[in-house]
Amino acid sequence: MSYEGGSYDVVVIGAGHAGCEAALAAARMGCNTLMITINLDMVAFMPCNPSIGGPAKGHVVREIDALGGEMGRNIDKTFIQLRMLNTGKGPAVHALRAQADKFLYQHAMKETMEKTPNLTLRQGMVEELIVEDGHCAGVITKTGTIYRSKTVILTTGTYLRGKVIMGELTYESGPNNQQPSVRLSENLRELGFDLVRFKTGTPPRVHKDTIDFSKTEIQPGDDKPKFFSFETKSSQNEQLPCWLTYTSPVTHQIINDNLHRAPMFTGIIEGTGPRYCPSIEDKVVRFSDKSQHQIFLEPEGKNTSEYYVQGLSTSLPEDVQLAVLRSIPGMEKVEMMRNGYAIEYDAMVPTQLWPSLETKRLPGLFTAGQINGTSGYEEAAGQGVMAGINAARKVQEKEPVILDRSQGYIGVLIDDLVTKGTNEPYRLLTSRAEYRLLLRHDNADLRLTPIGYEIGLIPQQRYEAFLNKKETVEREIVRLKETKVKPVEVNEVLAAFESAAIVDGSNLLTLMRRPELAYSFVDQISPAPEFLDEEMKEQVEIQIKYAGYIEKQLAHVEKLQKMEKKKIPDDINYNEIHGLAMEARQKLTKIAPISIGQASRIAGVTPADISILLVHLEHYNRVTAAKG
């Protein structure tokens, strides 16, 4: 018995980190939005590590915030530790990481969503997509309720045909013993989509009171923490420490003695796991020369005794997990509260998507998050905000917003997925970005806030504050350039910074290019205006010190932009282009790149193929112009 549940502009399936950002973006852009999830108590749940950020991932959270998304604001409200990583290296790899109170995080996000205009939350299991005239036109739930919509966004995470594996035990389940989604996965196959089987895992959780912290090393948060959201200026959150310990030779012996019971080595696990987050049994086998591996003990929240054992992801049997835990210094008498497990799930082959994250096969259907083959809350949320933006833009009959690789890590992430695909759960790394000096943690607002404002996700007041910051930074750089100093005025201060004295006059901008001089040097010589805050000072310092490198990268970007601007028509037939290699024809037909730039990044397409394609496009454009 079917029932009409209503009509919407956008329906979002799933309420993980991708679903939350997608639903909020669409609703805030004025679309009547429905978010359906199997369990409303699991909105923004963190089934694995209760943390946000880290290398590349932290950059994505800043970019989400710069576009007007929610993850940065939410973690700033609910963190229990903030720490800037890689501070001994250059600004391109500085990365903020937060330990979250996982319960506060999800409750705060759910509250935000419940109070957002144009957004309706429903509990239900979607089992089928409605297709009308070749377009995705809504969804049908297990109870027979029909929700009609102009667009649909799939953000199903690891729920599609989810199967939990622990030792010899396997059973159908989503994360944390939630219901899996089976029928929807079958429906996607019926509609002609290619799915793959991936695997991820999580470690055991242990009771705080059974840990001997005296045998571990304390890992405190920063004394003066920085924040993810550009709107957050201060916080009263109490910070809790994490703790570092290591596996022992006994740990490794226990694992090696029980490999015959490890699903990874017995063939029970069929899905491909993440290369950059292997299970402990995989690490012990692959890196047999290492005598120990790092283990971090991380609190799951302020009001719980559960600790997350980072670095010990496993699908070993329960008794082996406990023995492994008790072989680690500080955990000799530990009590396990939850077992670790592996979970297999279905994922979409991401080359079936346009760069807008709309599916090629079914217009009106968008996908975001782990369904697209990624790993990590941040990668999911980055895709979610873009899918929400582009679903809303489609409803509004506007062109999609597509970030290129020089604009953000989100652009790198999506371009990698839709152009190259992935044969394992994809993790974003700083090394994947060829312009990482441009894509820094500190300048995400300068890169993306104008886009967020233009599409309606950044309010006027915030945009004006952003413009004021940008103008203030530019004025300060000019001031430093125009402020002349003499040796008698600065040499004593230079000596205090262990910097060489000057013989002739100079300006402060030239001196600030010296690597050993920080902005505190300027404050001693010619104090900055009071309205120049620490964030602005950091921006001035980075722009001055790295000006030469930044200019080189911008020049390279400008050259490549010409390739991105050369659009490829939708109706081009690669099989009719003489001279193209067979592999290039097959790959170009499959990916259907939207530009020469994207075509050049497809594996198997050579520079010679690109040259032939450019000649063909010139001829194509001449013929088209003559016809019309």
Side-chain angles (χ1 to χ4, degrees):
M1 191 81 180
S2 61
Y3 159 74
E4 290 284 343
S7 294
Y8 297 86
D9 294 320
V10 180
V11 167
V12 179
I13 304 171
H17 305 282
C20 289
E21 295 293 348
L24 285 169
R28 287 167 174 168
M29 290 172 69
C31 289
N32 186 16
T33 304
L34 170 69
M35 187 177 77
I36 310 176
T37 181
I38 293 171
N39 185 351
L40 278 173
D41 294 330
M42 302 295 284
V43 170
F45 184 66
M46 295 176 162
C48 201
N49 197 345
S51 71
I52 296 289
K57 293 168 176 281
H59 294 68
V60 169
V61 182
R62 290 280 275 184
E63 291 174 2
I64 292 166
D65 183 74
L67 287 166
E70 195 61 31
M71 181 175 262
R73 282 191 289 251
N74 205 61
I75 187 61
D76 285 350
K77 285 188 279 188
T78 60
F79 72 86
I80 51 178
Q81 187 186 102
L82 276 170
R83 193 173 186 184
M84 185 67 77
L85 308 179
N86 298 331
T87 53
K89 300 178 182 178
V93 292
H94 288 181
L96 189 60
R97 182 185 186 273
Q99 193 69 21
D101 185 312
K102 69 186 295 182
F103 308 104
L104 287 179
Y105 185 92
Q106 64 180 123
H107 293 155
M109 184 67 84
K110 185 166 182 274
E111 183 181 15
T112 296
M113 301 188 76
E114 289 170 342
K115 292 180 177 178
T116 298
N118 305 318
L119 179 55
T120 302
L121 275 62
R122 289 274 195 279
Q123 183 164 295
M125 183 180 289
V126 171
E127 293 201 327
E128 191 175 334
L129 302 175
I130 299 171
V131 180
E132 292 177 357
D133 300 322
H135 190 278
C136 191
V139 303
I140 304 173
T141 68
K142 191 171 187 174
T143 58
T145 306
I146 297 169
Y147 296 103
R148 302 192 183 275
S149 64
K150 296 173 183 174
T151 57
V152 172
I153 307 175
L154 270 180
T155 66
T156 50
T158 60
Y159 281 79
L160 287 183
R161 283 204 312 127
K163 182 170 76 170
V164 163
I165 303 166
M166 184 173 52
E168 297 84 4
L169 175 66
T170 67
Y171 56 94
E172 288 190 347
S173 176
N176 212 45
N177 286 324
Q178 295 298 302
Q179 291 183 70
S181 177
V182 178
R183 174 67 193 119
L184 182 56
S185 185
E186 294 168 355
N187 184 232
L188 289 171
R189 290 183 189 276
E190 290 164 3
L191 291 171
F193 287 103
D194 292 330
L195 304 180
V196 291
R197 197 75 172 155
F198 279 168
K199 179 219 69 141
T200 188
T202 190
R205 272 65 157 182
V206 299
H207 198 291
K208 171 187 177 182
D209 294 344
T210 62
I211 300 170
D212 183 353
F213 290 106
S214 68
K215 296 182 179 179
T216 66
E217 301 170 32
I218 192 168
Q219 305 287 301
D222 292 341
D223 292 334
K224 293 182 179 179
K226 294 184 178 179
F227 304 102
F228 279 104
S229 176
F230 289 94
E231 293 184 294
T232 308
K233 301 304 176 186
S234 63
S235 172
Q236 299 302 313
N237 289 17
E238 177 192 359
Q239 295 205 61
L240 302 180
C242 297
W243 306 84
L244 172 63
T245 183
Y246 297 87
T247 59
S248 67
V250 176
T251 310
H252 298 196
Q253 189 62 52
I254 292 169
I255 291 170
N256 282 318
D257 288 347
N258 285 278
L259 289 179
H260 64 287
R261 300 178 65 196
M264 279 204 65
F265 299 96
T266 60
I268 293 176
I269 290 178
E270 298 172 6
T272 305
R275 177 191 306 260
Y276 299 102
C277 188
S279 66
I280 186 64
E281 52 267 38
D282 194 21
K283 282 192 279 190
V284 166
V285 171
R286 281 167 55 191
F287 307 107
S288 56
D289 57 315
K290 289 188 177 292
S291 61
Q292 59 181 22
H293 295 282
Q294 285 187 331
I295 301 293
F296 288 94
L297 304 175
E298 302 175 335
E300 296 228 319
K302 291 185 294 184
N303 300 310
T304 177
S305 292
E306 282 192 71
Y307 264 60
Y308 181 92
V309 188
Q310 186 194 335
L312 209 73
S313 176
T314 183
S315 57
L316 286 163
E318 184 174 351
D319 59 308
V320 181
Q321 289 188 34
L322 184 59
V324 165
L325 285 169
R326 290 181 173 175
S327 69
I328 295 170
M331 291 200 286
E332 291 86 352
K333 297 180 180 179
V334 82
E335 291 296 336
M336 185 165 62
M337 297 179 71
R338 302 185 200 229
N339 305 325
Y341 61 86
I343 184 167
E344 283 188 346
Y345 57 95
D346 286 347
M348 182 85 72
V349 174
T351 52
Q352 297 171 104
L353 307 174
W354 298 112
S356 64
L357 296 180
E358 185 175 18
T359 62
K360 297 172 184 175
R361 180 174 290 276
L362 186 56
L365 176 66
F366 294 75
T367 61
Q370 280 189 270
I371 189 176
N372 287 344
T374 56
S375 64
Y377 310 141
E378 304 85 355
E379 289 94 331
Q383 293 170 72
V385 74
M386 297 310 299
I389 288 168
N390 288 326
R393 299 274 292 184
K394 189 175 183 74
V395 170
Q396 296 162 355
E397 298 183 351
K398 296 177 181 177
E399 287 295 309
V401 174
I402 297 169
L403 301 181
D404 67 41
R405 300 179 70 90
S406 65
Q407 288 178 295
Y409 274 93
I410 295 174
V412 173
L413 163 67
I414 293 174
D415 183 61
D416 277 353
L417 291 173
V418 304
T419 304
K420 302 173 184 176
T422 182
N423 55 13
E424 61 189 35
Y426 176 100
R427 179 179 180 177
L428 197 57
L429 307 165
T430 54
S431 59
R432 295 191 192 272
E434 57 270 51
Y435 306 117
R436 55 184 175 273
L437 190 53
L438 302 181
L439 309 182
R440 304 184 309 274
H441 171 275
D442 62 272
N443 71 347
D445 57 340
L446 297 174
R447 292 183 275 120
L448 298 176
T449 293
I451 296 173
Y453 175 69
E454 183 185 342
I455 61 180
L457 285 179
I458 296 290
Q460 186 69 33
Q461 186 177 359
R462 177 172 173 181
Y463 187 60
E464 287 173 1
F466 157 75
L467 291 177
N468 178 63
K469 172 189 172 181
K470 184 180 178 186
E471 185 183 338
T472 302
V473 168
E474 290 168 355
R475 278 205 314 265
E476 179 64 2
I477 291 174
V478 170
R479 184 184 80 88
L480 296 181
K481 187 175 182 181
E482 293 175 348
T483 303
K484 312 293 183 184
V485 290
K486 298 175 181 177
V488 68
E489 297 172 301
V490 298
N491 278 348
E492 190 175 330
V493 180
L494 287 171
F497 280 87
E498 298 183 352
S499 189
I502 59 172
V503 178
D504 300 314
S506 181
N507 62 46
L508 287 179
L509 185 144
T510 300
L511 291 174
M512 272 297 294
R513 286 181 178 149
R514 295 184 178 187
E516 67 274 12
L517 295 183
Y519 209 93
S520 52
F521 163 76
V522 171
D523 280 336
Q524 289 188 44
I525 303 299
S526 178
E530 287 184 10
F531 51 78
L532 198 77
D533 61 26
E534 291 304 314
E535 193 176 89
M536 294 175 186
K537 289 178 181 178
E538 178 190 41
Q539 190 57 229
V540 170
E541 186 175 330
I542 290 172
Q543 287 193 28
I544 289 173
K545 287 186 183 297
Y546 294 90
Y549 299 104
I550 291 169
E551 284 169 16
K552 282 182 183 177
Q553 288 212 339
L554 287 171
H556 193 240
V557 168
E558 194 175 338
K559 283 182 184 176
L560 291 179
Q561 285 295 340
K562 295 175 183 176
M563 300 277 275
E564 301 297 335
K565 288 175 182 174
K566 289 185 185 292
K567 299 300 179 184
I568 299 175
D570 294 340
D571 59 350
I572 194 164
N573 187 340
Y574 294 103
N575 290 317
E576 293 179 353
I577 302 177
H578 299 295
L580 274 185
M582 182 58 70
E583 183 181 4
R585 292 181 188 187
Q586 292 171 348
K587 295 283 181 68
L588 289 165
T589 301
K590 179 183 177 182
I591 305 298
I594 62 173
S595 69
I596 289 293
Q598 187 186 2
S600 69
R601 293 189 292 275
I602 297 173
V605 177
T606 67
D609 295 320
I610 294 298
S611 297
I612 292 166
L613 184 54
L614 282 168
V615 171
H616 179 83
L617 281 182
E618 250 184 70
H619 175 70
Y620 177 96
N621 292 332
R622 279 200 306 270
V623 171
T624 304
K627 288 179 180 177

